[in-house]
Amino acid sequence: MKKISSLLLLVLSCAVLFAQSYKAPADAKVAAKLAQWGDKKFGLFMHWGIYSIPGIVESWSINSEDASWIPRDSTQNYETYKQWYFNLNKQFNPVNFNPNIWASYAKKAGMQYVVFTTKHHDGFAMFDTKQSDYKVTSKEVPFSSNPKANITKEVFDAFRSEGFMIGAYFSKPDWHSEYYWWPRYATPDRNNNYDIRLHPQRWQQFKQFTYNQIQELMSDYGKVDILWLDGGWVRPKASINAEVLSWGAPIPAWDQDINMPNIAAMARAKQPGLIMVDRTVHGEYENYQTPEQKVPEKPLDYPWETCMTMGDAWGYVPNDNYKSTNTLIHLLVDIVAKGGNLLLDVGPKPDGTFPEPVLERLTQIGQWMDINKEAIYATQPIAPYKTANVCFTKSKNGSTYALYLIADKSILAQKITIKTPPQMPKKISLLGVRSSITWKQIGADLEITLPATAKDLKHALVFKID
């Protein structure tokens, strides 16, 4: 009981800390873009890199921490394994890469912004950085001779042409950089592997390396709307809080500050209004927060986005366990009803294509969104947010929507009940059918009689209440 109580206190203190530490942007251009992003509701996340070749967890298998979620062949010497992993760049050759197809499927699904991994923790740059030769355009990478070798540019251009907001995922730690993991020492955990207090010049080189790579992304890749920074352990030591402690990860005695004020000033000079997401380092440079693989129990008091995988893994793994279309639509509805956005992640295959289940899910989500998008985009949460299997949203023009979640493969009853809706209607319509809807009030609830054509609707019925 003592352990449970301690854990509960930690969780509660984290929740309080998040709310207290959010700082709304003072820059009017950032605030305007943040509001625009908040109306988009649905985005595409992509984890793609050399880890897709063997179909393993992204980057983390070269981290020497002993954790069950970090899979690695335990029979192989660690240094040998790490070298094998880093050399996967010499096999990277996605000959079927066509980001226009990706953007087309994402647009049909109703997604309106994209966040692409320009560099994960392993340091392999998916863009033509001049700071390192560990990149997709390096001569030792087979794909470097392809006209589309500068993958980040190709992805950004393709999605931008479809009207998407553009987000650049960038890992602050770089496990391939000699300025972060110095070859002079072992690499026992996720942190940099030397004492910065004893080697300040080496850390200064890493700070400059990081600044220069972000500067390239902000300068050479067209309009960028979101800089999505991962690797929250790279942060000022003074910002280590209960949330960081809850990770259970090693914490060095020194400060891993990379000078975010300097990076932010440069990035926004080149990309005015840029939304910055310095994940988990709450404050001025985290314009919205990002619950990972979970949905909050209730609306939050600040902008937020759930980032969640379509399958179990962030990157491509063979035979991944993909969530059903029904589950994904219910997640989107639940998140939007609580005022958040859903950033749904997929992992492209090593040949540059999306797995077939991904294409199927995106197509089916799009079919539902074609009918019901007005209850999703540019909406606001409205109490009671959710009752039983019904979620509520409100449009800016005052319409209220009740989104009735249908369990997968269930058969609709002729009459359904919406418990305690935000308001009693003068008129109800069902999106996707032309038939008039009959209803009656029973206490604080609504009983709705469905027309016969409602049986053709899937996943969630959306009632517009005027």
Side-chain angles (χ1 to χ4, degrees), residues 392-466:
F392 303 100
T393 63
K394 183 178 181 180
S395 68
K396 293 180 179 179
N397 66 11
S399 294
T400 296
Y401 299 90
L403 298 94
Y404 183 93
L405 306 181
I406 305 170
D408 204 7
K409 299 179 181 178
S410 66
I411 299 175
L412 277 172
Q414 184 184 11
K415 294 182 179 181
I416 63 171
T417 300
I418 296 178
K419 293 183 176 297
T420 60
Q423 62 194 48
M424 285 300 164
K426 294 181 179 179
K427 178 184 177 183
I428 298 178
S429 57
L430 174 58
L431 302 188
V433 302
R434 295 183 177 181
S435 306
S436 60
I437 304 298
T438 59
W439 58 275
K440 63 180 179 180
Q441 181 176 345
I442 302 177
D445 303 335
L446 287 176
E447 183 184 84
I448 298 175
T449 301
L450 297 176
T453 49
K455 70 179 187 305
D456 298 325
L457 300 176
K458 298 179 180 179
H459 311 303
L461 304 178
V462 179
F463 297 96
K464 185 174 183 179
I465 301 175
D466 293 315

Side-chain angles (χ1 to χ4, degrees), residues 78-79 82 178 180-188 192-195 198-199 202:
Y78 171 58
E79 288 300 327
K82 192 165 58 172
E178 64 176 322
Y180 194 81
W181 273 3
W182 192 359
R184 178 174 175 179
Y185 298 118
T187 53
N192 78 296
N193 67 335
Y194 58 91
D195 190 330
L198 301 178
H199 306 282
R202 179 162 287 271

Side-chain angles (χ1 to χ4, degrees), residues 161-180:
S161 69
E162 292 286 5
F164 280 64
M165 293 182 78
I166 302 300
Y169 169 110
F170 182 88
S171 169
K172 293 184 292 181
D174 186 317
W175 293 338
H176 188 268
S177 171
E178 64 176 322
Y179 305 129
Y180 194 81

Side-chain angles (χ1 to χ4, degrees), residues 150-165:
N150 193 353
I151 283 175
T152 293
K153 183 179 186 304
E154 298 293 325
V155 170
F156 286 0
D157 286 351
F159 279 82
R160 195 182 292 113
S161 69
E162 292 286 5
F164 280 64
M165 293 182 78

Side-chain angles (χ1 to χ4, degrees), residues 188-397:
D189 55 47
R190 70 186 68 188
N191 299 294
N192 78 296
N193 67 335
Y194 58 91
D195 190 330
I196 290 172
R197 297 168 299 184
L198 301 178
H199 306 282
Q201 186 54 39
R202 179 162 287 271
W203 185 251
Q204 181 57 42
Q205 288 175 293
F206 180 69
K207 287 166 65 176
Q208 190 63 51
F209 169 81
T210 303
Y211 179 97
N212 290 347
Q213 283 199 323
I214 294 176
Q215 185 178 49
E216 290 172 336
L217 289 169
M218 297 297 104
S219 303
D220 304 331
Y221 293 83
K223 183 182 177 184
V224 177
D225 302 288
I226 305 164
L227 178 59
W228 210 93
L229 299 172
D230 202 8
W233 59 93
V234 177
R235 66 199 293 152
K237 193 170 181 61
S239 71
I240 292 174
N241 52 37
E243 179 187 12
V244 179
L245 297 175
S246 73
W247 300 344
I251 298 175
W254 50 86
D255 197 325
Q256 294 189 82
D257 185 1
I258 58 170
N259 194 349
M260 280 301 300
N262 195 34
I263 290 173
M266 172 273 294
R268 285 182 172 148
K270 294 182 175 294
Q271 299 286 345
L274 179 75
I275 298 170
M276 296 194 68
V277 186
D278 191 11
R279 298 189 68 222
T280 74
V281 188
H282 308 308
E284 186 175 356
Y285 306 111
E286 190 181 35
N287 298 140
Y288 66 78
Q289 295 186 8
T290 52
E292 183 174 320
Q293 297 283 43
K294 61 186 176 183
V295 181
E297 289 295 319
K298 58 183 180 180
L300 304 178
D301 293 331
Y302 42 80
W304 63 277
E305 162 195 87
T306 284
C307 54
M308 184 173 288
T309 52
M310 183 181 284
D312 290 337
W314 291 100
Y316 169 75
V317 299
N319 304 311
D320 200 358
N321 180 32
Y322 291 97
K323 298 173 182 67
S324 69
T325 301
N326 188 264
T327 296
L328 293 169
I329 289 173
H330 288 193
L331 283 166
L332 174 63
V333 169
D334 188 24
I335 289 165
V336 171
K338 293 170 181 172
N341 285 18
L342 171 60
L343 183 62
L344 184 61
D345 176 84
V346 303
K349 294 164 63 177
D351 71 348
T353 62
F354 280 171
E356 281 302 317
V358 170
L359 299 179
E360 179 184 79
R361 301 311 192 267
L362 293 176
T363 299
Q364 292 171 348
I365 293 171
Q367 291 167 350
W368 184 87
M369 286 288 283
D370 283 344
I371 297 170
N372 301 297
K373 58 191 174 185
E374 69 177 87
I376 300 296
Y377 300 141
T379 58
Q380 302 166 341
I382 181 171
Y385 315 115
K386 185 176 184 179
T387 59
N389 64 326
V390 182
C391 295
F392 303 100
T393 63
K394 183 178 181 180
S395 68
K396 293 180 179 179
N397 66 11

